[in-house]
């Protein structure tokens, strides 16, 4: 086997791991990994706004709005106009949403984050450089993407 095959096998393993996690999460929590990450962010902050979530995840507000619509329909979040600024919408997690976050399987990205953060700075920089290069090779450097390990597109379900 040559290095090209080795690199393609490594990419396939990464994609397969994210695909399997997505299925496990969908089965356990009834959410996509991206929906779960939005729910997690709001739960961590207590309350948030669509703009704050979109900035934190690195996706458009339209993408977040679609994700919030789905989460609200499932009873995971509530939306309310801000009393301070009526133009602003505040997002809060419901009891059902909190329970979903608490009971969901350990997110694949959390495992990755723990292990990545334990690496030395030079190792982190090397991994980032390699991954950015791979994204560039796939013409994916300008794609709308959040820091969520998921093999599918980030779009409303």
């Amino acid at each position: 086997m040559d290095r090209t095959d080795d690199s393609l096998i490594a990419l396939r393993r990464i994609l397969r791991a994210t695909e399997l996690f997505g299925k496990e999460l969908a089965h356990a929590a009834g959410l996509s990994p991206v929906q779960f990450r939005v729910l997690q962010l709001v739960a961590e902050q207590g309350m948030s706004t669509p703009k704050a979530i979109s900035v934190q995840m690195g996706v458009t507000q339209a993408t977040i709005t679609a994700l919030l619509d789905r989460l609200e329909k499932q009873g995971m979040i509530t939306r309310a106009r801000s009393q301070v600024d009526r133009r602003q919408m505040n997002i809060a997690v419901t009891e059902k949403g909190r329970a979903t976050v608490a009971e969901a399987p350990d997110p694949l990205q959390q495992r990755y984050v723990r292990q990545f953060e334990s690496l030395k700075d030079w190792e982190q920089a090397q991994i980032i450089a390699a991954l950015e290069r791979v994204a560039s090779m796939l013409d994916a450097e300008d794609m709308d993407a959040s820091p969520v390990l998921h093999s599918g597109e980030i779009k409303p379900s």
Side-chain angles (χ1 to χ4, degrees):
M1 225 185 310
D2 65 6
R3 286 186 175 163
T4 302
D5 286 344
D6 289 343
S7 71
L8 290 170
I9 289 168
L11 278 172
R12 179 64 188 132
R13 285 180 177 153
I14 292 167
L15 292 172
R16 186 75 179 127
T18 58
E19 178 184 334
L20 290 173
F21 168 70
K23 287 179 181 177
E24 178 185 356
L25 184 63
H27 178 71
L31 301 173
S32 72
V34 179
Q35 290 169 336
F36 183 76
R37 183 61 184 146
V38 170
L39 187 63
Q40 217 178 21
L41 287 173
V42 178
E44 288 168 4
Q45 297 166 4
M47 190 173 288
S48 194
T49 64
K51 180 164 178 64
I53 298 166
S54 72
V55 168
Q56 189 163 7
M57 290 187 65
V59 297
T60 65
Q61 272 195 261
T63 298
I64 292 301
T65 298
L67 292 166
L68 292 173
D69 287 346
R70 182 84 172 143
L71 289 170
E72 187 175 37
K73 195 179 296 181
Q74 292 181 315
M76 302 286 180
I77 60 142
T78 59
R79 296 187 220 195
R81 291 248 174 247
S82 168
Q83 297 302 317
V84 177
D85 181 350
R86 301 291 295 159
R87 296 170 297 172
Q88 182 175 303
M89 188 66 67
N90 289 327
I91 312 301
V93 177
T94 63
E95 282 304 315
K96 180 180 179 183
R98 277 193 241 332
T100 299
V101 169
E103 295 167 10
D106 183 23
L108 183 64
Q109 67 198 37
Q110 297 299 68
R111 287 180 241 159
Y112 174 84
V113 166
R114 279 194 301 273
Q115 292 185 36
F116 183 83
E117 288 178 348
S118 72
L119 299 173
K120 293 182 178 359
D121 284 345
W122 70 267
E123 290 175 299
Q124 290 180 2
Q126 190 175 23
I127 289 171
I128 292 168
L131 291 171
E132 286 176 345
R133 182 69 175 125
V134 170
S136 174
M137 291 166 61
L138 298 173
D139 292 328
E141 64 270 1
D142 293 330
M143 286 187 173
D144 186 22
S146 68
V148 176
L149 294 175
H150 180 53
S151 60
E153 286 184 58
I154 298 176
K155 62 181 180 183
S157 304

